[in-house]
Amino acid sequence: MSGDARPAVVLLSGGMDSATVLYWARAEGFAPTALSFRYGQRHSAELQAARRLAQEVNCELVEMDLDLAKFGASALTDPEIAVPEGPDDGIPATYVPARNTVFLSIALALAEARDIHDICIGVNAIDYSGYPDCRGEFISAFEKMANLATRDGVEGRPFRIHTPLIDWTKAEIIRAGVRLGVDYAMTVSCYRADSDGRACGTCEACRLRREGFETAEVEDSTRYQE
C-alpha cells in the first residue's frame, strides 16, 4: 500500500459483506485497519475467517472482546433461542440488540485514538435479514452523532462512515467482490457454522448467500457441512 494511502477502520466480521468492504477499501486507496469482535456469538469460525482475510490483504487486525451474550435476546448469542431457517415477518430472532451501534462506537473510539477519520462497514439494506441497524438512516444518524460527540468532530476533523454495499443486492456484492479478488471460500456467513467454518446450508444467512451466487451466476465456493 502506498505511503499516501488514507487510513481507515474497517469492521471485519469474516463474512461475505465485510470481506468485500475490506477489499473495496484497499482498492479505493485506503490503508485499512480491520476491527473484529468476539461478542458471545455462537461460533468462532467467523473470527478465524477475519484473521485469514486480514492476513491476505496484509493489514492489522484489532480483536475486541465483548460479552453481548450476557444480555441474551438473540438467537446468535443465546443457545436457548433457535436459529430460524427461513425469513421472518419483521425483525428476526437473529437480530442482536444494538450490535452495530456498539460496534461502530468502538470503531469510532479506535479511529479517533489513531487519528483516523474514515470508518467502513458492510451493512446492506437490500438483500438483508431485516435488521434496523443495517439501514442508511441509521448510518446517517450515527455519523452525525459521531461528529457531535468527539473532540475531532467538534474541532473540525469530521468522521465519515462508508457503506459501499448499502444499496447492492447480494449478487451485486458477489460480482464486485470477484472483480476485487475476494476469495469467498475464505469467508463464513452461516449462523450455525461448525468449528471448521463449514456452513449449515439451511439458515437465513446461508439462503441469502446461496441465492446471491445463483443470481450472480458465480460458482458457490462455500464449504457446506455434509
Side-chain angles (χ1 to χ4, degrees), residues 78-95:
D78 186 344
E80 299 299 318
I81 301 176
V83 173
E85 294 196 352
D88 290 337
D89 293 328
I91 299 171
T94 50
Y95 165 71

Side-chain angles (χ1 to χ4, degrees), residues 103-146:
F103 288 0
L104 278 170
S105 295
I106 294 174
L108 176 62
L110 173 63
E112 187 173 33
R114 297 193 176 188
D115 196 27
I116 297 172
H117 295 92
D118 293 276
I119 298 171
C120 307
I121 183 172
V123 293
N124 171 254
I126 305 299
D127 283 354
Y128 78 125
S129 298
Y131 301 146
D133 54 2
C134 286
R135 298 173 299 156
E137 300 95 319
F138 163 71
I139 297 298
S140 296
F142 188 94
E143 184 178 89
K144 182 177 180 180
M145 182 279 299

Side-chain angles (χ1 to χ4, degrees), residues 116 152 194:
I116 297 172
D152 281 5
D194 65 15

